[in-house]
Amino acid sequence: MIAINALGTFSLMVGLLTLTPGLDTALVLRTAALGHRRRAWGVVLGIQSGTLIWGVLTSLGVTALLTASHLAYAILRWAGAAYLVWMGGRLLWATWRTSGDEGATGSGAEAAVGAGASNTLRGGWRQGIATNLLNPKMGAFYVAVLPQFLPAHASHLAAGVLLTGVHIVLAVLWACALIALARVLRDRLQRPSMRRLLDRITGTVIAAFGLRLALGE
């Protein structure tokens, strides 16, 4: 259905995209570093659920309509930007607000990213899928790349799901490596000063992605 060389090229492209440090990496690594393995896997599942939805919608031609509509794209872009800036800003504010209280750092920062559900799979899944679906650049990437690998005389939906599945498998493997790394470093990262530093880095990354999205960069 899909030529082996085309499958290999697509795998290389999405593999490099997955390995590029970004929002997904920051979220998974930060959550796992806090010792919340269940929530970290929820974030991974949420992100990949969003990837699957983008892949299916692209295969059906829906995301092409989204990117063609300036209004729809702008609405999604501003909604995603607002969500990311809000999440990153709350995380940063919590670390500065509790910087004088070593014991409160964890609870304040966790509440800032919606961890009221703390170490729950569902809470992580909601955070992951919201972050992914509110990122129109994911849709734009799939619109630009996926159709090039869809065979002309075959089901676009089946081929699109297969290619998206390759992306998801590579992303999950990378998430396994991140979670394993966080587990190795967990004792060191559990120190209040290190947790504040990690949260400030993560909050800055998330807020910066939101600002870039708002500016259309």
Side-chain angles (χ1 to χ4, degrees), residues 42-163:
V43 171
V44 173
L45 292 176
I47 291 170
Q48 301 319 316
S49 295
T51 299
L52 179 59
I53 291 172
W54 282 120
V56 169
L57 292 180
T58 302
S59 302
L60 296 175
V62 176
T63 49
L65 298 177
L66 171 65
T67 54
S69 170
H70 294 296
L71 177 61
Y73 187 84
I75 291 173
L76 182 59
R77 180 166 63 88
W78 281 104
Y83 174 73
L84 293 177
V85 171
W86 171 81
M87 184 165 61
R90 287 193 67 190
L91 185 57
L92 287 170
W93 171 249
T95 63
W96 288 109
R97 183 167 55 88
T98 59
S99 60
D101 185 352
E102 296 291 318
T105 302
S107 60
E110 289 163 19
V113 291
S118 193
N119 191 20
T120 65
L121 192 70
R122 180 180 296 182
W125 182 85
R126 286 198 301 263
Q127 185 181 18
I129 194 170
T131 301
N132 188 282
L133 291 181
L134 288 174
N135 183 5
K137 290 190 176 182
M138 271 294 295
F141 171 80
Y142 264 80
V143 168
V145 173
L146 194 62
Q148 301 178 41
F149 296 91
L150 298 179
H153 305 292
S155 169
H156 281 192
L157 179 60
V161 170
L162 173 61
L163 291 170

